[in-house]
Amino acid sequence: MHPAVAGCIGWPDEVNNPQHRLRMTEAPRILMLHSRHDPANHFSWAAKVHRQTRGTTVLLPYEGAGHSVHGRSDCTRDAVDDYLTELKVPRAGSSCAPATTS
């Protein structure tokens, strides 16, 4: 067991924000970017959030590795820039190829 998790075992306090299914009733379309090979957060977590919020979110997977996705490729950068400036989201099922090294 990871020490960060084991350190909380036995604490008498209640959890302030327990895990629960997401309930989003009113929200604009939300762009979600996530790396398929994120060393810190597994892609399945993003996929589960997207399944719970399918009517509100668009999940754009980056097919490469790394934790931060925005600047990884023209595809990820353009998707974020288009979203932030025009609230434009990519079509469902889109993905960004891994960046190539020169």
Side-chain angles (χ1 to χ4, degrees):
M1 182 177 294
H2 192 278
V5 174
C8 298
I9 292 176
W11 281 13
D13 296 332
E14 301 245 349
V15 176
N16 290 333
N17 186 15
Q19 292 183 3
H20 62 279
R21 290 194 57 80
L22 295 173
R23 293 175 297 278
M24 298 173 71
T25 57
E26 294 183 31
R29 298 290 287 180
I30 298 170
L31 174 63
M32 295 177 59
L33 273 82
H34 203 286
S35 173
R36 290 268 186 200
H37 308 286
D38 185 326
N41 302 301
H42 199 274
F43 183 79
S44 65
W45 297 354
K48 287 176 186 176
V49 168
H50 176 58
R51 276 195 300 274
Q52 292 179 40
T53 59
R54 192 173 300 274
T56 303
T57 61
V58 173
L59 177 59
L60 180 64
Y62 170 66
E63 301 295 340
H67 182 61
S68 177
V69 176
H70 174 253
R72 295 268 173 202
S73 70
D74 289 343
C75 177
T76 58
R77 189 174 24 260
D78 290 347
V80 171
D81 291 351
D82 287 348
Y83 179 74
L84 293 176
T85 59
E86 303 172 31
L87 287 181
K88 178 182 171 188
V89 294
R91 74 176 193 283
S94 298
S95 66
C96 290
T100 57
T101 56
S102 306

